[in-house]
Amino acid sequence: MSVSRETAKRLETFVDLFSKWSKTFNLVAPSTKQQIWERHVLDSLQLRDIVTTPQHWIDLGSGGGFPGIITSIVLAEHGEGHVDLVESNNKKAAFLRMALLQTQGRGSVHTIRIEDAAEKIQAPDLISARALAELDLLLRFVEPWSKDNRNLRCLFHKGRDYQAEVDKARGRWDFDLIIHRSAVEEDSVILDISSLQRRG
């Protein structure tokens, strides 16, 4: 995936910072640390090809910064848009703040529980989450914002068992779904969900 020289520098700055912080505590699964560019950075960059204009994002459970920090770096190139990163872990939130500062990403960090975030962050255009929770729970997390914004769009990275999660969620929710096949990981997808409404 090609990016501008400025964005490439910001991504390199982030990866260097990520590598330093990862030595003291786990930001991602230890088994994937050596594949940070392919497994994490490029995987997160796929959202840029799905959403091509600057928007207001919320990234849930931002953890090691994927895809939230990567999205903030892409928005920095546009000079527009913003990412609200939600992370309840204080150490990870500190890392995310440092990452935004050093990369000049367009975002802010909220050290709060996801369940409390809707009271503090206004309804976004998009919500992202990666390696966070099963789809049914993710939809429960985003429901407070979807009530205020019928055009809300959610982008969730999922692995090979995504269809079982979709089928389960359909028992409780109505939603439109587009499935984007991952260009990075075989059998992985990005679920593009909109028009969310609880059944009954």
Side-chain angles (χ1 to χ4, degrees):
M1 297 180 190
S2 61
V3 297
S4 70
R5 183 178 299 176
E6 185 177 0
T7 294
K9 286 182 179 178
R10 286 187 168 115
L11 291 172
E12 288 170 3
T13 296
F14 172 68
V15 169
D16 287 345
L17 181 69
F18 178 93
S19 298
K20 290 174 185 174
W21 280 64
S22 289
K23 292 176 182 177
T24 56
F25 67 100
N26 286 333
L27 293 170
V28 295
S31 61
T32 66
K33 282 183 184 178
Q34 301 305 315
Q35 304 165 297
I36 182 172
W37 280 101
E38 183 174 333
R39 288 288 300 276
H40 301 294
V41 176
L42 294 181
D43 190 36
S44 298
L45 270 177
Q46 292 184 98
L47 298 186
R48 179 195 61 169
D49 298 323
I50 297 172
V51 181
T52 56
T53 57
Q55 306 280 348
H56 172 208
W57 294 71
I58 292 177
D59 187 57
L60 300 178
S62 298
F66 306 106
I69 293 294
I70 306 304
T71 301
S72 78
I73 289 171
V74 171
L75 293 176
E77 184 173 333
H78 289 284
E80 296 180 70
H82 188 87
V83 186
D84 285 301
L85 298 105
V86 178
E87 176 53 59
S88 62
N89 181 286
N90 285 315
K91 287 185 178 179
K92 291 180 179 179
F95 163 73
L96 294 169
R97 289 191 179 94
M98 182 63 70
L100 285 173
L101 181 66
Q102 291 198 10
T103 64
Q104 299 179 314
R106 294 183 61 86
S108 54
V109 180
H110 304 266
T111 313
I112 53 178
R113 296 169 67 246
I114 293 172
E115 294 87 343
D116 300 327
E119 298 176 6
K120 301 183 181 298
I121 307 173
Q122 68 180 28
D125 303 303
L126 296 114
I127 295 179
S128 59
R130 182 175 180 268
L132 178 63
E134 198 174 272
L135 180 60
D136 181 62
L137 180 55
L138 289 173
L139 297 181
R140 275 186 272 164
F141 286 155
V142 306
E143 183 182 20
W145 289 294
S146 69
K147 290 177 179 177
D148 297 330
N149 181 7
R150 296 296 299 152
N151 296 317
L152 178 66
R153 191 174 171 193
C154 301
L155 296 171
F156 300 137
H157 288 76
K158 287 293 175 183
R160 66 182 64 187
D161 297 327
Y162 73 90
Q163 190 59 56
E165 292 190 35
V166 170
D167 293 342
K168 179 181 176 181
R170 291 259 188 221
R172 192 192 307 262
W173 308 92
D174 289 320
F175 51 86
D176 294 335
L177 174 65
I178 299 172
I179 298 173
H180 303 277
R181 296 284 170 185
S182 174
V184 176
E185 291 193 64
E186 190 177 356
D187 297 331
S188 293
V189 300
I190 298 170
L191 301 182
D192 188 341
I193 291 173
S194 57
S195 303
L196 177 66
Q197 190 168 11
R198 185 184 286 265
R199 288 190 162 190

